[in-house]
Amino acid sequence: MNTFMELGPAVARIRKERGLTQVQLAQMAGMAQSTLARFETGAVAEFGSRKLLRLLELLGHEVQITPAGARPTLDDVLAERKESQR
């Protein structure tokens, strides 16, 4: 994941994999379902770190800090694949 806009859809995917509804996860995290819905769809410009960390904790995930360039991005992988097909 490389951007803030990718976080929401990733949380939605994990939530669904865990069999939770937005209502259930929002209640567990102590936030409104509409807040969670806006986050999952990328309709928020900002989402507090406490809220994000709480959601991740509830879903059994955590934030990892990695240096930029330490791992290839999706663009890097696709470019490499395209290059190897030539």
Side-chain angles (χ1 to χ4, degrees):
M1 199 168 332
N2 295 316
T3 67
F4 175 75
M5 296 302 289
E6 293 174 291
L7 276 172
V11 166
R13 179 184 48 77
I14 296 165
R15 173 183 57 75
K16 290 172 188 173
E17 287 172 359
R18 301 285 189 275
L20 294 169
T21 66
Q22 284 182 343
V23 171
Q24 291 169 323
L25 182 57
Q27 286 177 343
M28 291 165 55
M31 67 179 68
Q33 180 273 330
S34 60
T35 301
L36 178 58
R38 287 192 315 275
F39 174 66
E40 288 186 352
T41 60
V44 293
E46 211 170 290
F47 194 74
S49 58
R50 287 184 186 160
K51 289 178 187 174
L52 175 60
L53 292 173
R54 179 68 178 141
L55 288 176
L56 293 175
E57 177 186 7
L58 290 167
L59 294 170
H61 286 260
E62 62 185 25
V63 173
Q64 290 186 332
I65 307 299
T66 56
R71 298 170 69 190
T73 65
L74 178 58
D75 290 337
D76 295 335
V77 172
L78 293 174
E80 185 177 310
R81 184 180 298 163
K82 187 176 183 180
E83 199 56 38
S84 69
Q85 292 175 347
R86 290 183 183 180

